[in-house]
């Protein structure tokens, strides 16, 4: 059986120890498979849909840092921004299934509606889309929707989560640590699958890409575990394969705080410039091969 893993950084900053751990972890699972006589492959994917924040120089630095760490990956590297038509196809399928709708709301209008509601809803666990969407545009009449689209009003596309779950029925996914998980993404609300500025989103792109790239084992930090419920429901709606998952612990500093891109002292570049070897960096990240 083939084991295909991936590391999927966004080129919005330099890689830090947390990334080093995630990349080494994914790479090691593929290498392990090869050692046991299976076909193990490691893929690198550049998640660059957020055009305002992604920079080519960060992408170049990512490739250089990973190579310095001693990792190798398959070519060509997939860049999400080059595959917008794949995401558009998925959106058409979801539209045909009647589970997405255009949302014309501005961030301000959403905030005002939430503030006006008597009980403030909880933020989604992943925090991916800001506040829980109150469903304003879900309730728009079809004529009104069509009129506003025709008038050229800009819109995002949201998943009608209740409709989606009614369509898929109960679905589960499996994690190496958490075991079998029943997918319940309702805490995210009607999440955005295509933004007003780019016609996709993290959730949609990652789900489509993992399928198209034949990824069999998704490894990533535990912070993304709730998001997998969303991805599993999208797989069911789109008829995509469900990989296995391994959500690993996040690398934290001595005070237990996770590293972020702004912590420049723990970037791989800084550590390398300070004379650390790749093996020392792996050890600092807490990675035991
Ligand atoms: N691109 C995401 C990040 O930089 C990772 C996505 C994933 O592994 O699913 O955090």
């Amino acid at each position: 059986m083939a084991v295909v893993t991936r590391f999927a950084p966004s080129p919005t900053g330099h890689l830090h120890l947390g990334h080093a751990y995630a990349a080494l972890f994914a790479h090691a699972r593929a290498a392990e498979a090869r050692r046991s006589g299976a076909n193990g492959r490691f893929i690198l994917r550049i998640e660059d849909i957020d055009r305002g924040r992604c920079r080519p120089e960060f992408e170049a630095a990512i490739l250089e840092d990973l190579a310095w760490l001693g990792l190798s990956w398959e070519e060509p590297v997939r860049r999400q921004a080059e595959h917008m038509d794949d995401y558009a196809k998925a959106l058409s399928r979801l539209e045909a299934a009647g589970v997405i709708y255009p949302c014309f709301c501005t961030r301000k209008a959403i905030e005002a509606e939430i503030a006006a509601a008597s009980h403030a809803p909880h933020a989604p666990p992943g925090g991916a889309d800001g506040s829980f969407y109150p469903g304003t545009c879900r309730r728009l009449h079809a004529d009104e929707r069509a009129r506003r689209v025709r008038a050229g009003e800009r819109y995002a596309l949201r998943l009608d989560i209740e409709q989606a779950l009614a369509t898929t029925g109960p679905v589960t996914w499996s994690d190496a640590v958490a075991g079998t998980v029943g997918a319940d993404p309702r805490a995210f609300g009607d999440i955005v699958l295509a933004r007003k500025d780019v016609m996709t989103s993290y959730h949609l792109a990652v789900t489509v890409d993992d399928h198209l790239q034949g990824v069999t084992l998704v490894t990533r930090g535990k912070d993304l575990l709730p998001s997998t419920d969303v991805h599993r429901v999208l797989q069911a709606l789109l008829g995509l394969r469900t990989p296995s998952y391994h959500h690993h612990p996040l690398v934290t500093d001595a005070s237990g705080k996770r590293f972020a891109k702004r912590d420049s002292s723990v970037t791989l570049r800084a550590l390398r410039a300070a004379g650390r070897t790749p093996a020392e960096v792996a050890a600092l990240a807490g990675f035991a091969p």
Side-chain angles (χ1 to χ4, degrees):
M1 210 192 71
V3 175
V4 184
T5 64
R6 52 41 162 212
F7 176 57
S10 300
T12 55
H14 290 304
L15 297 183
H16 55 66
L17 283 176
H19 294 108
Y21 182 89
L24 288 162
F25 189 94
H27 192 266
R29 298 289 82 78
E32 230 167 63
R34 281 196 300 278
R35 275 199 302 278
S36 68
N39 180 15
R41 295 167 48 207
F42 172 69
I43 287 173
L44 174 64
R45 181 168 72 227
I46 300 294
E47 305 215 319
D48 57 354
I49 55 172
D50 197 343
R51 282 172 212 157
R53 293 175 58 222
C54 294
R55 303 261 178 278
E57 56 272 28
F58 287 137
E59 181 187 321
I62 286 172
L63 302 184
E64 196 187 290
D65 288 349
L66 292 175
W68 175 77
L69 255 190
L71 304 189
S72 55
W73 53 88
E74 290 185 4
E75 295 288 348
V77 170
R78 183 176 170 99
R79 290 180 187 82
Q80 291 186 323
E82 294 169 358
H83 296 276
M84 294 304 291
D85 41 336
D86 287 329
Y87 314 131
K89 270 188 224 148
L91 288 168
S92 322
R93 293 184 68 169
L94 295 172
E95 192 183 359
V99 294
I100 55 173
Y101 61 88
C103 173
F104 307 94
C105 293
T106 58
R107 201 175 284 262
K108 248 192 162 148
I110 297 171
E111 278 163 14
E113 183 146 346
I114 290 172
S118 49
H119 298 290
H122 297 290
D129 297 311
S131 319
F132 193 94
Y133 180 61
T136 324
C137 288
R138 189 193 328 115
R139 294 186 290 268
L140 286 183
H141 191 276
D143 293 345
E144 159 96 354
R145 261 182 206 160
R147 184 188 62 71
R148 292 173 75 168
V149 170
R150 266 199 316 274
E153 231 182 283
R154 295 179 70 216
Y155 57 86
L157 291 169
R158 287 185 184 272
L159 184 67
D160 180 337
I161 199 73
E162 292 302 337
Q163 192 59 42
L165 292 173
T167 307
T168 63
V171 285
T172 61
W173 54 275
S174 150
D175 183 88
V177 182
T180 303
V181 182
D184 184 4
R186 267 176 295 211
F188 284 84
D190 284 358
I191 42 159
V192 170
L193 292 188
R195 291 164 23 173
K196 281 186 183 171
D197 57 340
V198 301
M199 270 286 133
T200 188
S201 63
Y202 160 68
H203 296 297
L204 182 69
V206 89
T207 306
V208 168
D209 285 352
D210 283 337
H211 173 82
L212 291 179
Q213 296 192 283
V215 172
T216 65
L217 174 64
V218 170
T219 66
R220 58 187 171 203
K222 251 175 83 177
D223 54 330
L224 286 168
L225 192 138
S227 296
T228 304
D229 284 356
V230 177
H231 306 168
R232 179 64 189 96
V233 168
L234 289 176
Q235 287 157 7
L237 292 168
L238 291 165
L240 310 180
R241 280 184 306 275
T242 302
S244 300
Y245 291 86
H246 190 150
H247 291 89
H248 54 68
L250 299 170
V251 182
T252 52
D253 64 16
S255 66
K257 202 168 62 59
R258 65 178 287 206
F259 291 119
K261 281 189 173 144
R262 60 187 173 279
D263 300 328
S264 55
S265 59
V266 292
T267 63
L268 303 195
R269 329 231 96 194
L271 293 163
R272 179 179 165 187
R276 301 286 197 164
T277 66
E280 284 169 346
V281 166
L284 275 175
F287 178 77

